[in-house]
């Protein structure tokens, strides 16, 4: 059994920052990630991040991950446990983490859960055929292992993830047949990337959905069609795409299994990506020993995940009795709300309001 | 055409040591640091298992151990996620075609 003051689950931007602020406050921290490397989503991103300069905007994602990981590894109060997935949480504040070979038991006074998000799936004919993958899976293969799972790609979803994936595929030397979206306008905020991708000759086809993929053992062709006002496909508008991979970038949903196991109340808040653990601005959930930060509490971005992590780490340490400068918490909270003032955060703010409102009802 | 990226403007993929894994009796070259899934896909193998009841081919979906689309029989152990299992010299890998029995 490993004993620790604070266990942080997930080593993305939220988790690494939570580990750092808790450790700086004097707490012993155990940071667990199921991947062999710290960084979460950041390790797969080759682009310069959007967001707030103080939190790494302007730095390429994977470099940002390296910088944070170096700080984590240098801190004497932080132990990391990599390649271990936390698969169980029990009412007496013990947890079980398993790797491919073995498992360990952990007893943690406080847990900060920063597990991030999982990708969504959509319905179409043969959507289980090999070659249909999450956009993140393509990124992992390509940017982490240097392997391209095909030659020609169709990307479904024109949000940030879809558009950035298109750009990364071009960097890696693949052919991108098109990026499609059911909506009449581009999904994400990163129009700079969208413009780049279009300039490089990738069509962005709007109001279009995928009807099905065909092939014997893996995708050989995808068929798409335009959608009408009612979102139904319009006959006669079909296009046949000769592709071997269809990458789905149709949104993320928070990973909430651990919260449910730990009796944390979850609420369905579409603006935040689906079911989310109820939480306040300090990262408290409905379980007094469990905190949340980052995409696990609602899909947002790296800047807000970092700030949320820093806050939750400080709050957890403070509630264990470590001396914490209250001004630091307030400073991060102010940074968070001023960052969210931009119009891009409108939806997230509505979601947060709804989540907090629901709980009082 | 090799599926391994040869040149990249931003990332570097230092070539690690080549090792051999045995996929359905066939020797394949993998690189140290690969997962079973990345090694198979680099070798052009996209079908990782059959679905349990309809026996439809299944491949990689999430690549981070979340979805169970990639369950294979690895070193005799069924229901092993190929996408998060690192390769090692001489490892045996088979497509899983049923629920899997403990060896
Ligand atoms: C293509 C793409 C481009 C993006 N571009 C930008 C951008 O330009 N600017 C920006 O601000 N944001 C961007 N984002 C969003 C940003 O990457 C995320 O919002 C951010 O990484 C969320 O951080 P996190 O720490 O909450 O979660 P993650 O980064 O997802 O980290 C979660 C970690 O938890 C681990 N984990 C999960 N479950 C367990 C478990 N049970 N046990 C142990 N470990 C577990 C995972 O392995 C992972 O390492 C982008 C995202 C994508 C996909
Ligand atoms: S591909 Fe999802 S668990 Fe391996």
């Amino acid at each position: 059994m490993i004993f620790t003051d604070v266990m942080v689950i997930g080593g993305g931007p939220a988790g690494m920052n939570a580990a750092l602020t808790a450790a700086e406050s004097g707490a012993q921290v155990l940071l667990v990630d199921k991947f062999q490397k710290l960084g979460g989503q950041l390790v797969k991103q080759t682009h310069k991040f959007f967001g707030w300069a103080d939190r790494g905007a302007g730095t390429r994602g994977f470099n940002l991950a390296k910088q944070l990981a170096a700080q984590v590894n240098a801190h004497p109060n932080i132990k990391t446990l990599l390649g271990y997935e936390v698969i169980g949480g029990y009412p007496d504040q013990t947890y079980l983490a398993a790797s491919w070979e073995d498992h360990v038991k952990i007893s943690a006074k406080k847990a900060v859960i920063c597990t991030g998000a999982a990708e969504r799936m959509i319905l179409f004919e043969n959507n289980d055929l090999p070659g249909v993958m999450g956009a993140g899976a393509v990124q992992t293969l390509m940017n982490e292992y240097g392997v391209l799972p095909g030659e020609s790609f169709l990307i479904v979803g024109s949000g940030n993830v879809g558009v950035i994936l298109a750009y990364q595929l071009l960097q890696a030397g693949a052919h991108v047949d098109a990026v499609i979206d059911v909506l009449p306008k581009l999904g994400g905020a990163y129009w700079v990337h969208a413009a780049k991708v279009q300039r490089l000759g990738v069509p962005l086809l709007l109001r279009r959905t995928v009807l099905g993929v065909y092939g014997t053992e893996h995708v050989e062709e995808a068929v798409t069609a335009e959608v009408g006002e009612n979102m139904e496909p319009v006959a006669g508008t079909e296009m046949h795409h000769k592709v071997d991979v269809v990458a789905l970038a149709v949104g993320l949903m928070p990973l909430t299994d651990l919260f449910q196991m730990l009796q944390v109340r979850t609420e369905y808040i579409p603006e935040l990506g689906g079911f989310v653990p109820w939480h306040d601005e300090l990262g408290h959930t409905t379980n007094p020993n469990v905190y949340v930060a980052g995409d696990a509490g609602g899909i947002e971005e790296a800047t807000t995940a970092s700030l949320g992590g820093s806050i939750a780490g400080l709050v957890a340490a403070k509630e264990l009795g470590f001396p914490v400068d209250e001004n630091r918490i307030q400073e991060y909270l102010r940074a968070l709300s001023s960052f969210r003032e931009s119009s891009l955060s409108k939806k997230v703010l509505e979601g947060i309001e709804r989540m907090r409102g629901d709980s009082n009802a | 055409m090799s599926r391994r990226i040869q040149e990249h403007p931003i990332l570097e993929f230092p070539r690690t040591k080549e090792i051999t894994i045995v996929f359905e009796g066939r020797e394949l070259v993998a690189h140290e640091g690969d997962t079973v899934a990345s090694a198979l896909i680099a070798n052009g193998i996209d079908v990782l298992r059959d679905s349990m009841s309809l026996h439809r081919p299944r491949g990689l979906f999430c690549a981070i151990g979340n979805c169970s689309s990639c369950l294979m029989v690895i070193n005799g152990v069924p229901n092993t996620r190929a996408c998060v299992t690192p390769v090692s010299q001489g490892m045996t890998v088979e497509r899983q075609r049923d629920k899997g029995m403990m060896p």
Side-chain angles (χ1 to χ4, degrees), chain A residues 282 314-315 318 324-333:
Chain A
L282 299 175
L314 287 174
V315 173
K318 182 179 144 200
V324 167
D325 179 3
E326 187 62 34
N327 288 328
R328 247 186 111 188
I329 300 179
Q330 293 307 323
E331 220 170 275
Y332 289 140
L333 282 171

Side-chain angles (χ1 to χ4, degrees), chain A residues 13-311:
Chain A
M16 287 195 284
N17 279 293
L20 283 167
T21 57
E24 286 159 8
S25 311
Q28 292 297 324
V29 177
L30 179 73
L31 175 57
V32 190
D33 199 294
K34 62 181 179 180
F35 197 55
Q36 288 84 349
K37 220 190 223 180
L38 289 171
Q41 284 295 331
L42 302 184
V43 301
K44 301 181 239 173
Q45 309 309 339
T46 52
H47 64 285
K48 294 186 181 149
F49 262 50
F50 255 66
W52 189 35
D54 277 11
R55 288 286 169 161
T59 306
R60 296 190 195 280
F62 69 98
N63 283 329
L64 196 54
K66 276 192 202 152
Q67 290 167 9
L68 277 169
Q71 288 180 44
V72 164
N73 291 328
H75 205 290
N77 283 8
I78 307 178
K79 285 204 181 68
T80 57
L81 185 62
L82 300 181
Y84 282 79
E85 177 172 5
V86 177
I87 54 169
Y90 307 93
D92 60 347
Q93 287 138 261
T94 56
Y95 300 84
L96 187 68
S99 75
W100 158 239
E101 275 112 10
D102 74 331
H103 63 268
V104 289
K105 287 183 222 157
I106 297 158
S107 167
K109 293 178 192 145
K110 300 281 184 189
V112 185
I113 304 187
C114 309
T115 45
E119 297 192 283
R120 288 176 187 283
M121 183 69 184
I122 49 171
L123 291 178
F124 54 85
E125 196 175 2
N126 298 326
N127 67 0
D128 61 341
L129 201 60
V132 177
M133 288 181 207
V138 177
Q139 288 193 334
T140 303
L141 277 175
M142 149 172 94
N143 295 344
E144 193 53 39
Y145 301 105
V147 173
L148 274 172
E151 287 176 22
S152 183
F153 292 72
L154 176 71
I155 299 174
V156 182
S158 72
N160 301 333
V161 176
V163 167
I164 285 169
L165 175 66
Y167 191 60
Q168 295 181 352
L169 280 164
L170 296 173
Q171 281 179 331
H175 175 247
V176 182
D177 184 272
V179 179
I180 67 164
D181 203 303
V182 274
L183 295 176
K185 64 182 182 69
L186 273 183
Y190 302 177
W191 51 269
V192 193
H193 289 105
K196 245 191 214 166
V197 163
Q198 269 177 306
R199 244 187 345 260
L200 292 169
V202 176
L204 293 181
L205 308 174
L206 301 174
R207 284 188 193 283
R208 184 164 282 276
T209 191
V210 54
L211 299 180
V213 297
Y214 306 94
T216 42
E217 288 230 301
H218 64 93
V219 175
E220 290 161 32
E221 181 186 74
V223 178
T224 65
E226 253 174 57
V227 292
E229 289 304 326
N230 54 3
M231 288 288 164
E232 290 298 317
V234 179
T237 61
E238 291 85 0
M239 280 174 73
H240 296 254
H241 307 259
K242 289 277 168 240
V243 292
D244 43 12
V245 177
V246 173
L248 301 180
V250 290
L252 298 160
M253 50 189 179
L255 275 173
T256 52
D257 330 26
L258 282 170
F259 296 106
Q260 282 156 357
M261 236 183 276
L262 290 160
Q263 322 275 300
V264 169
R265 188 170 68 236
T266 56
E267 315 255 359
Y268 184 74
I269 311 287
E271 295 90 340
L272 298 178
F275 279 97
V276 295
W278 180 91
H279 59 281
D280 68 9
E281 59 178 2
L282 299 175
H284 291 114
T285 66
T286 56
N287 178 331
N289 298 313
V290 176
Y291 304 74
V292 59
D295 281 356
I299 308 302
E300 222 179 327
E301 53 188 311
T303 299
T304 49
S306 304
L307 288 166
S310 297
I311 295 168

